[in-house]
Amino acid sequence: MTDNIKVGWNLENTYTSLPDIMFTAINVNPVSNPKLVILNEELATSLGLDSNALKSRQSVEKLAGNRALEGGIPLAQAYAGHQFGHFTMLGDGRALLLGEQITPSGELFDIQLKGSGRTPYSRGGDGRAGLGPMLREYIISESMHALGIPTTRSLAVVTTGEDIMRETVGPGAVMTRIAASHLRVGTFQFAAKWGTIEDLKALADYAIERHYPILMDNENRYLLLLQEVIEHQAVLIAKWQLVGFIHGVMNTDNMTISGETIDYGPCAFMDIYNPKTVFSSIDSHGRYAYENQPNIAAWNLARLAESLLPLIHEDQEEAVKQAQEAMATYPEKYETYWLTGMGNKLGIFNIEKADISLIENLLQLMDKYEADYTNTFRALTLSKLEETALYGKEDFNQWHEKWQARLEKQDVSKDFIQRLMQKSNPVVIPRNHRVEEALEAAVVKEDYSVLENFLKVISRPYDYNSDYMEYTSLPPDTLGEYKTFCGT
Ligand code: AMP
Ligand code: MG
């Protein structure tokens, strides 16, 4: 950071340039006794903020939504969404965009509060959030960031001093979320359904300027915008699949235009490999199960494509044709990213389509022998086969021979292969029982040491030299099937 860059809030309010129907300016909703319980100092620095200043009484009041940030215009964004397939009008029902911070490197990030009180989009909800779910989002989003997966991030969590009613009564909290933007597929669905064509155009131009500015002068920019979102989502979903991340609520309002993961509700990482794994307690049909995520992303992108049709071409048939051609590129893009990533996980840097069976056979074996997904790849990386549930199985031995033969076809050293595998296979992921342990200590005992320790561990997921082995073990069986809840 150079001396002439101001440290502190340095806000823009570009969202207010959008048509009025896209947002509602909001007065803040004060809470009684805000207390900072966790602050992301590294993220604060990268945003051009001073961590010590953020801990002051005045700053904590701002992070609780008791007063606006200097230079910021608080607003709630309007959006719609397909929730489990059903189209609904939504919007920020418990979130406030405080402004957009210009970072020392010249980037623009949304500063948003979650759990900050009611808005015109609250639909009967209380606008509040529980401490457990906000800390959970903090843990998982920071872990995703450390894993190298595009994501919104968490700057701080503040308790409100007020209890909220959910299944039980518990402490309320406000989280500060940092995002490249909060533009969602659902934002476009909202504009397409309830706005004029000019509104839709203003939104699309805004999204392009913010995320894909290189397209701005192109006369086909709306089709190119669609192509960019398809590209970024293909990258993102492949990364999720590769680490075994299950989002849980892939509604169109929870899918960004930037390609960042957003809205950590009932999400979790898979332990034992099972493509049908689903975590959300409300997803009884398994719509958002692990194996369905790539297809659901395509379904959501098709909703974006539909919303953009009037901008893509004035002739509807031509617009549909162009949008369909763009959509048709998604499966191939996704598969290429997934295949390349899976190749890297197995130490193969020049993967080919012919290698698919090698990958699929391994996944089938994991499924058959109930092997832990993350630990199996870690054991392969370390050549500690005895640590996997596959050890000693005849069909695994055969697979292993084929794999070794495939590796030998590459003209690279063993060392190179091992480094590639270490970079591609995390040692630690935020396992559910560890997340719960950290949350329980924080929420019930107000002991944040378990959480702080855990955050340190998951901030270095690819560190094979660490002594984090205790964090690699599976949950004790007594925990039973893990279910997570959203909207809490
Ligand atoms: P989510 O499941 O978190 O993606 O939220 C879906 C929609 O419900 C969004 O429009 C949220 O703003 C809204 N929502 C969730 N929880 C609440 C709440 N406690 N009060 C008001 N709105 C909420
Ligand atoms: Mg949401």
Side-chain angles (χ1 to χ4, degrees):
M1 213 184 293
T2 54
D3 290 344
N4 58 358
I5 287 171
K6 181 180 146 202
V7 174
W9 294 113
N10 189 13
L11 297 178
E12 292 239 29
N13 298 282
T14 63
Y15 214 78
T16 59
S17 71
L18 284 173
D20 288 349
I21 61 155
M22 297 309 302
F23 65 93
T24 307
I26 299 279
N27 277 327
V28 291
N29 296 295
V31 295
S32 62
N33 187 18
K35 199 173 135 215
L36 182 69
V37 293
I38 190 152
L39 176 68
N40 193 334
E41 304 206 2
E42 171 240 311
L43 178 58
T45 305
S46 73
L47 289 168
L49 300 171
D50 175 344
S51 293
N52 283 327
L54 282 175
K55 292 175 191 164
S56 73
R57 180 79 212 163
Q58 278 205 339
S59 280
V60 174
E61 295 263 339
K62 292 170 190 163
L63 296 176
N66 280 11
R67 51 170 103 178
L69 297 176
E70 47 274 27
I73 303 172
L75 62 87
Q77 297 180 337
Y79 51 87
H82 273 95
Q83 299 193 302
F84 294 90
H86 302 285
F87 188 69
T88 322
M89 161 72 197
L90 297 162
D92 287 332
R94 55 164 171 175
L96 269 193
L97 178 65
L98 295 181
E100 303 128 18
Q101 172 79 351
I102 308 168
T103 71
S105 59
E107 290 175 289
L108 197 64
F109 283 99
D110 277 10
I111 311 293
Q112 195 206 54
L113 299 183
K114 186 166 175 181
S116 47
R118 303 199 74 236
T119 77
Y121 311 108
S122 296
R123 298 177 302 153
D126 61 2
R128 294 292 174 193
L131 176 59
M134 293 306 97
L135 292 175
R136 193 163 191 283
E137 172 155 348
Y138 190 111
I139 295 171
I140 312 277
S141 63
E142 284 309 299
S143 169
M144 292 287 270
H145 171 73
L147 284 161
I149 300 175
T151 178
T152 65
R153 296 189 63 188
S154 308
L155 179 65
V157 176
V158 171
T159 49
T160 59
E162 294 166 9
D163 280 343
I164 63 159
M165 258 307 270
R166 292 296 183 260
E167 271 124 53
T168 54
V169 175
V174 177
M175 192 192 74
T176 308
R177 178 157 74 180
I178 309 300
S181 88
H182 285 82
L183 294 171
R184 307 145 190 267
V185 169
T187 317
F188 280 83
Q189 290 182 290
F190 174 85
K193 171 104 180 157
W194 286 290
T196 63
I197 178 109
E198 284 74 31
D199 295 334
L200 183 63
K201 197 163 181 211
L203 176 66
D205 283 335
Y206 178 83
I208 290 169
E209 225 176 307
R210 204 143 171 200
H211 297 298
Y212 310 108
I214 199 161
L215 308 180
M216 206 53 211
D217 294 326
N218 196 306
E219 61 177 298
N220 289 325
R221 61 184 178 275
Y222 306 114
L223 179 66
L224 295 170
L225 169 65
L226 176 62
Q227 287 173 352
E228 286 291 348
V229 182
I230 290 170
E231 169 75 21
H232 284 75
Q233 285 294 336
V235 170
L236 179 67
I237 307 298
K239 284 181 185 265
W240 287 3
Q241 299 304 97
L242 291 168
V243 297
F245 173 75
I246 300 167
H247 183 282
V249 204
M250 284 180 74
N251 295 331
T252 55
D253 53 300
N254 292 339
M255 188 182 228
T256 59
I257 299 305
S258 65
E260 287 182 343
T261 312
I262 197 171
D263 247 340
Y264 293 87
C267 58
F269 284 74
M270 180 163 65
D271 291 315
I272 286 172
Y273 178 75
N274 178 351
K276 307 242 174 283
T277 308
V278 52
F279 287 112
S280 170
S281 59
I282 54 174
D283 190 5
S284 48
H285 298 291
R287 178 181 170 94
Y288 298 140
Y290 174 75
E291 66 179 353
N292 291 347
Q293 296 190 126
N295 287 337
I296 289 290
W299 192 89
N300 290 348
L301 289 165
R303 306 289 79 75
L304 176 65
E306 277 166 11
S307 305
L308 288 172
L309 281 181
L311 301 181
I312 289 176
H313 203 281
E314 56 200 23
D315 174 44
Q316 203 193 344
E317 240 171 76
E318 181 57 27
V320 169
K321 185 173 151 265
Q322 292 185 13
Q324 278 174 346
E325 279 167 12
M327 283 303 304
T329 65
Y330 171 81
E332 175 92 26
K333 279 182 195 289
Y334 167 75
E335 181 162 293
T336 304
Y337 289 122
W338 180 81
L339 198 57
T340 307
M342 270 294 172
N344 292 345
K345 284 173 87 68
L346 289 173
I348 303 169
F349 70 87
N350 58 356
I351 197 101
E352 293 161 13
K353 284 223 162 142
D355 294 314
I356 285 189
S357 66
L358 186 73
I359 296 165
E360 281 179 349
N361 286 349
L362 175 64
L363 295 175
Q364 280 155 6
L365 290 167
M366 282 190 210
D367 195 6
K368 177 173 171 188
Y369 296 115
E370 303 188 348
D372 179 77
Y373 181 76
T374 304
N375 286 353
T376 301
F377 282 106
R378 179 172 54 83
L380 293 178
T381 304
L382 293 169
S383 302
K384 287 186 175 169
L385 305 185
E386 68 282 5
E387 291 186 4
T388 75
L390 310 175
Y391 187 60
K393 312 287 185 200
E394 189 44 39
D395 38 7
F396 173 66
N397 292 343
Q398 285 166 7
W399 177 87
H400 195 263
E401 255 175 52
K402 271 194 215 145
W403 174 46
Q404 291 301 310
R406 174 62 180 85
L407 288 180
E408 273 162 29
K409 281 207 286 178
Q410 304 187 116
D411 192 18
V412 289
S413 66
K414 281 219 156 68
D415 208 40
F416 176 93
I417 290 172
Q418 173 133 38
R419 277 204 308 274
L420 179 60
M421 290 183 71
Q422 289 191 355
K423 272 198 321 201
S424 313
N425 294 309
V427 184
V428 281
I429 50 163
R431 291 189 189 268
N432 305 322
H433 62 296
R434 289 291 184 180
V435 174
E436 292 306 320
E437 178 186 72
L439 294 183
E440 164 126 358
V443 177
V444 181
K445 301 188 198 120
E446 289 184 52
D447 169 8
Y448 283 82
S449 63
V450 185
L451 176 64
E452 300 276 3
N453 262 336
F454 190 48
L455 287 170
K456 267 189 217 136
V457 172
I458 56 180
S459 71
R460 292 162 62 195
Y462 301 102
D463 185 353
Y464 275 72
N465 299 316
S466 68
D467 47 4
Y468 296 158
M469 293 317 283
E470 61 179 297
Y471 289 92
T472 66
S473 52
L474 290 174
D477 284 344
T478 48
L479 271 182
E481 212 181 324
Y482 190 76
K483 283 274 178 273
T484 53
F485 299 89
C486 63
T488 44

